[in-house]
């Protein structure tokens, strides 16, 4: 005769920690994108590009420190720099 099986063992569901977010990196990306798209608007495009650079740099630093994703912060930094360069190129073209 076979022995009786014991009660079934149930594994508890896995507990996942939410990944930390990077709000400043996202804000820097949006501002850098707007600065790049609106570089031709006098002063507005440049201000948006500079704010995009600042927010992205701070967001990247905080993301590295906290382990949050930094992809959008890096993209915002690049777009902000491109927007500022395009603004100055446009200024030189008009001068």
């Amino acid at each position: 005769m076979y022995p009786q099986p014991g009660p079934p063992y149930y594994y508890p569901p896995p507990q996942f920690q939410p990944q930390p977010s990077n709000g400043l990196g996202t804000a820097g990306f949006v501002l850098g994108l707007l600065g790049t798209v609106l570089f031709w608007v006098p002063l507005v495009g440049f201000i948006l590009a500079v704010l995009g650079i600042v927010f992205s740099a701070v967001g990247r630093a905080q993301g590295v420190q906290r382990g949050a994703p930094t992809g959008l912060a890096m993209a915002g930094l690049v777009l902000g720099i491109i927007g500022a360069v395009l603004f100055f190129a446009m200024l030189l073209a008009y001068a």
Side-chain angles (χ1 to χ4, degrees), residues 7-90:
Y9 181 75
Y10 295 104
Y11 292 101
Q15 301 288 326
F16 296 108
Q17 295 293 331
Q19 189 174 14
S21 62
N22 193 353
L24 283 175
T26 305
F29 173 73
V30 170
L31 290 171
L33 183 64
L34 287 174
T36 303
V37 171
L38 298 175
F39 75 92
W40 53 274
V41 178
L43 210 59
V44 172
F46 180 69
I47 291 173
L48 289 173
V50 169
L51 285 175
I53 293 170
V54 170
F55 275 70
S56 295
V58 173
R60 178 152 164 66
Q62 283 185 358
V64 167
Q65 186 179 30
R66 292 186 301 165
T70 58
L72 281 178
M74 194 64 195
L77 192 62
V78 170
L79 285 172
I81 292 171
I82 290 173
V85 167
L86 287 174
F87 174 79
F88 284 121
M90 183 192 66

